[in-house]
Amino acid sequence: MAARSRTFEWGDPKVSAAAVGRASGLEFLRDVLAGRLPAAPIASALGFTLEEVESGRAVFALEPGEEHYNPIGSVHGGVYATLLDSAAGCAVQSALPAGMGYTSLDLNVKFLRPVNVETGKVRAVGTVVSQGRRTALAQAQLLDSADRLLAHATSSCMLFPVPAA
């Protein structure tokens, strides 16, 4: 049995957490994208990156590896869910004004196609469907390089004011 290993690093999550709400959600995410703020440690642990962000839309990408596999030889559903949750949540965050934050209330995922190393790079594209004063609804699609739909998710998010530091 051949052993494999993977090493990764991450930035201090307190730095990014302290910046939430100081600027708009879009400005916050653009700072993460530009490397001015550290990405979430889960992104380093799983190896995914924020690739695009605009108001109401966020895109994350992952090159699937066998470190993402479940015991039956395909990418674990939790990896799909993490990518979709990140894309949907950050789509909501990108639409928030300064002084506001969000948290996910639920995540409903539909797995449509298997993903493995042969699938190649996948993208989770999140968009805001509806936003009110207290809640937002977002969706996210997991797509392969040919834009085939691999999984779909919806997420309800609670919006709240962030206390001034």
Side-chain angles (χ1 to χ4, degrees), residues 13-160:
K14 291 178 188 172
V15 173
S16 292
V20 171
R22 285 195 205 149
S24 72
L26 182 58
E27 291 170 297
F28 173 88
L29 290 167
R30 285 183 174 160
D31 283 345
V32 171
L33 184 62
R36 293 184 292 269
L37 286 173
I42 189 66
S44 295
L46 290 179
F48 66 89
T49 57
L50 177 62
E51 284 205 334
E52 301 174 36
V53 66
E54 60 190 64
S55 184
R57 184 173 182 273
V59 180
F60 286 86
L62 170 78
E63 188 76 36
E66 60 183 24
E67 69 273 14
H68 300 118
Y69 278 15
N70 57 29
I72 61 172
S74 62
V75 172
H76 190 280
V79 175
Y80 285 61
T82 301
L83 283 167
L84 293 164
D85 182 57
S86 297
C90 286
V92 169
Q93 186 175 18
S94 72
L96 296 179
M100 293 295 291
Y102 83 96
T103 190
S104 298
L105 294 172
D106 63 23
L107 181 69
N108 185 333
V109 179
K110 302 295 183 196
F111 304 103
L112 304 172
R113 295 176 187 256
V115 175
N116 56 40
V117 295
E118 288 81 25
T119 303
K121 181 178 169 181
V122 297
R123 294 174 300 116
V125 180
T127 56
V128 174
V129 175
S130 174
Q131 182 176 338
R133 288 184 303 139
R134 295 185 189 157
T135 61
L137 176 66
Q139 69 174 352
Q141 295 182 320
L142 189 66
L143 305 167
D144 67 10
S145 62
D147 285 338
R148 285 184 295 238
L149 186 61
L150 306 170
H152 181 267
T154 56
S155 178
S156 300
C157 296
M158 180 174 64
L159 311 180
F160 55 87

